[in-house]
Amino acid sequence: MPPGWEFQQDAIIRFYETDGWPTTLMAVNAIGFLCEAADHHPDVDIRYSRVTLVLSTHDAGGLTARDFALAETIGA
């Protein structure tokens, strides 16, 4: 599993802390671009200075290689 990610039920999850709203929005846009390019769409929770990503392949009912590949692409 890529560094920074952890298992949570049938998904992998990653938390990102930012220095505030403008940086949070930039991070979400960058991550969203990578997700769209991979045609894989995580659950995203956006707060003022925190982003939570939850990767799981919904139509497969859990984790697949696509989730781990996207986590690698998103990186640290």
Side-chain angles (χ1 to χ4, degrees), residues 4 15 22-23 28 30 32 36 40 46 51 56 62-63 70:
F15 304 98
T23 305
V28 169
E36 189 63 24
H40 195 35
I46 304 166
V51 177
S56 177
L63 289 167
L70 181 55

Side-chain angles (χ1 to χ4, degrees), residues 6-68:
E6 58 188 62
F7 284 106
Q8 186 182 69
Q9 297 175 339
D10 292 331
I12 54 176
I13 189 168
R14 176 81 191 254
F15 304 98
Y16 292 93
E17 297 289 335
T18 74
D19 61 1
W21 185 243
T23 305
T24 298
L25 288 177
M26 287 187 290
V28 169
N29 281 319
I31 292 167
F33 177 83
L34 296 172
C35 295
E36 189 63 24
D39 192 31
H40 195 35
H41 307 103
D43 293 330
V44 182
D45 181 57
I46 304 166
R47 304 296 169 131
Y48 176 78
S49 61
R50 184 175 173 128
V51 177
T52 304
L53 295 176
V54 181
L55 295 178
S56 177
T57 303
H58 301 290
D59 59 351
L63 289 167
T64 67
R66 294 183 68 214
D67 302 299
F68 294 99

